[in-house]
Amino acid sequence: MRVLILNPPVPRGSLTNRDLMGGMGINDDFGTSVSSRFVAFLKNQGTRMPVMTLGYAAALLAPHVDVEVLDLGHEASGPETLARAAAVKPEWIVAATSFAYLGTELKFLSELHARTGAKRLLVGQTATHYAKEILERGLAEFIASGDPEVAVSELAKGAKELGERVRERFLNVDALPFPDWSKFPRDDYAYFPLLKKKPFLPVLSSRGCPYGCSFCPYPVAQGAPFRGRSAKNVVDELQHLIERYGVQSVLFRDPTFTLDLDRAADICRLILERGLKLEFGIETRLDRMESGLIELLGRAGCTSVEFGVDPLEQETLLANHRRPLAPKKVHDVVKALEANGMRTAGLAVLGLPEQSLDEMKRTIEWVDELGLSYINYELATPFPGTALYEEAVNKGWARPIQFDELLEGDPKLTFNGKVDVAATRALQDEALRRFYVRPSRVAKEVLSGSMLDSARFFAQSGLRFLGRARSRQ
């Protein structure tokens, strides 16, 4: 049996990384001004990651069936990419999905199915959420909800019908094999500028997040219970990546890497004990950081930490199920991280239902005071399945997303709270320019790390951006 593991192409001129937003995928083409759109383009050029689920699928399938991999996530959908996929002549297709481009993905898979007759097993929270519509319309044969490795394991055993077993979850994440990246285009993957060394690959050391922030898709996609792999199992994978693929940097894709403080510290100690030489980045919450752990992370090779930067208004925080953290604590942790050699990357959400324009501006001013290395301003997005989506629909801020809209490539994942979308987008543009488009900021970025690598990246990205702009005219 031949199985094609597929990260589908995107609409021409579009940008995405399907593994972000809890595996729901996002459209990275944000911003309206030239400067903010260039920041978005730089982010996309530097952030190219494989879909973790597909790496696990390859590991589960490879010992049992003939596996081919096509990662087309940064290529345009069209006759050429369709021909490449059809040439594999698969009997099964395991494909990633996203909210941003579900219509393009399902159309591509339908054309591939028509050419090859291959059955389609879809993974990702988007496919799970719209499983009924997808299956009733014959747009796929199977949907892997829950932990998708359960369905893939059944496929590896030659199951003819996957049935309701696709709804189970792996309770013991240590039982998963390490992802098999051997047939993926590893040279294409990067997480620049937070992790500048290559080869680069991601690692998932835990699943689930118990915090339940109203706008966050991670608890929806992975569940609320925290399921952490053992420190030994995680470090065994790091050693495997170094020895098998020569990896020099990894990004932990956990929603909250340091939720279990003892486990995080044990991972660091084992890295040091084994003398593993690699840099790594994590995502976490600042209230799950302690001075001893920060120092240990720095010694073990952690060079970047990503985290949410919350609004200052307690009412907004509580309404969105965020636990308040004292501003001084935030400032102290950021300062400690930077002092221990870690670049800090904040994520601030603009346009939450309770936020006024003045409140958003205060958040932006607060970010400027923190001295972060990077900031990402995202518009509050009501992903179906999240509490924010339910609130937006119930209160009339947004209408329910129709499946046909996704098929047409027009999901409209926006809403008007106190401030309308247009005004919030304008503020996002202003905030991005304010942080990034300054001579001192650009000079700092070019001079940080390898100056030659940074200068080359900015020059090449600038030329691509200009070429993309011309092609749109």
Side-chain angles (χ1 to χ4, degrees), residues 90-279:
E91 298 172 61
W92 279 85
I93 305 163
V94 178
T97 59
S98 68
F99 272 114
Y101 300 119
L102 183 63
T104 298
E105 294 155 1
L106 292 179
K107 180 181 178 182
F108 184 86
L109 289 167
S110 293
E111 292 172 346
L112 186 55
H113 172 73
R115 285 202 185 191
T116 65
K119 293 182 178 179
R120 297 153 290 184
L121 170 61
L122 306 186
V123 300
Q125 178 58 27
T126 307
T128 298
H129 189 83
Y130 291 102
K132 182 175 182 292
E133 292 90 343
I134 291 171
L135 295 174
E136 285 180 350
R137 300 192 190 194
L139 298 172
E141 285 67 45
F142 300 99
I143 308 291
S145 59
D147 281 351
E149 293 84 8
V150 178
V152 174
S153 295
E154 296 300 324
L155 179 58
K157 296 172 185 175
K160 300 296 183 183
E161 297 293 332
L162 300 181
E164 288 301 311
R165 286 173 291 186
V166 300
R167 297 190 175 278
E168 298 175 11
R169 287 189 180 275
F170 271 112
L171 296 179
N172 179 12
V173 286
D174 272 358
L176 287 169
F178 301 152
D180 181 356
W181 303 117
S182 59
K183 293 187 176 181
F184 287 74
R186 298 185 302 280
D187 290 344
D188 293 347
Y189 301 139
Y191 202 64
F192 188 93
L194 285 177
L195 297 169
K196 296 186 177 181
K197 293 183 179 180
K198 294 182 69 174
F200 157 86
L201 282 171
V203 171
L204 188 68
S205 83
S206 68
R207 284 181 176 168
C209 182
Y211 288 98
C213 302
S214 68
F215 51 82
C216 183
Y218 278 98
V220 178
Q222 298 184 5
F226 177 79
R227 295 175 288 153
R229 294 164 55 193
S230 68
K232 180 183 182 303
N233 185 253
V234 173
V235 180
D236 283 348
E237 181 179 353
L238 297 180
Q239 188 164 346
H240 166 75
L241 292 176
I242 294 170
E243 295 173 353
R244 175 78 185 275
Y245 304 116
V247 164
Q248 295 190 55
S249 69
V250 300
L251 175 69
F252 284 101
R253 294 289 294 116
D254 308 36
T256 314
F257 178 80
T258 62
L259 192 143
D260 184 334
L261 296 173
D262 292 336
R263 187 192 77 113
D266 287 343
I267 290 173
C268 292
R269 292 190 189 99
L270 281 175
I271 290 173
L272 291 167
E273 287 175 12
R274 297 190 191 183
L276 302 185
K277 302 299 181 184
L278 82 168
E279 65 175 25

Side-chain angles (χ1 to χ4, degrees), residues 38 41-46 192 454-468:
F38 183 53
F41 188 77
L42 285 174
K43 178 187 175 185
N44 183 268
Q45 291 296 299
F192 188 93
S454 297
R456 183 184 298 114
F457 171 75
F458 283 109
Q460 291 175 345
S461 297
L463 290 173
R464 293 192 190 103
F465 181 74
L466 291 174
R468 185 166 178 263

Side-chain angles (χ1 to χ4, degrees), residues 408-427:
E408 294 166 3
D410 189 18
K412 290 188 175 66
L413 294 178
T414 57
F415 68 99
N416 292 323
K418 282 187 179 179
V419 182
D420 64 38
V421 174
T424 306
R425 287 193 189 280
L427 188 61

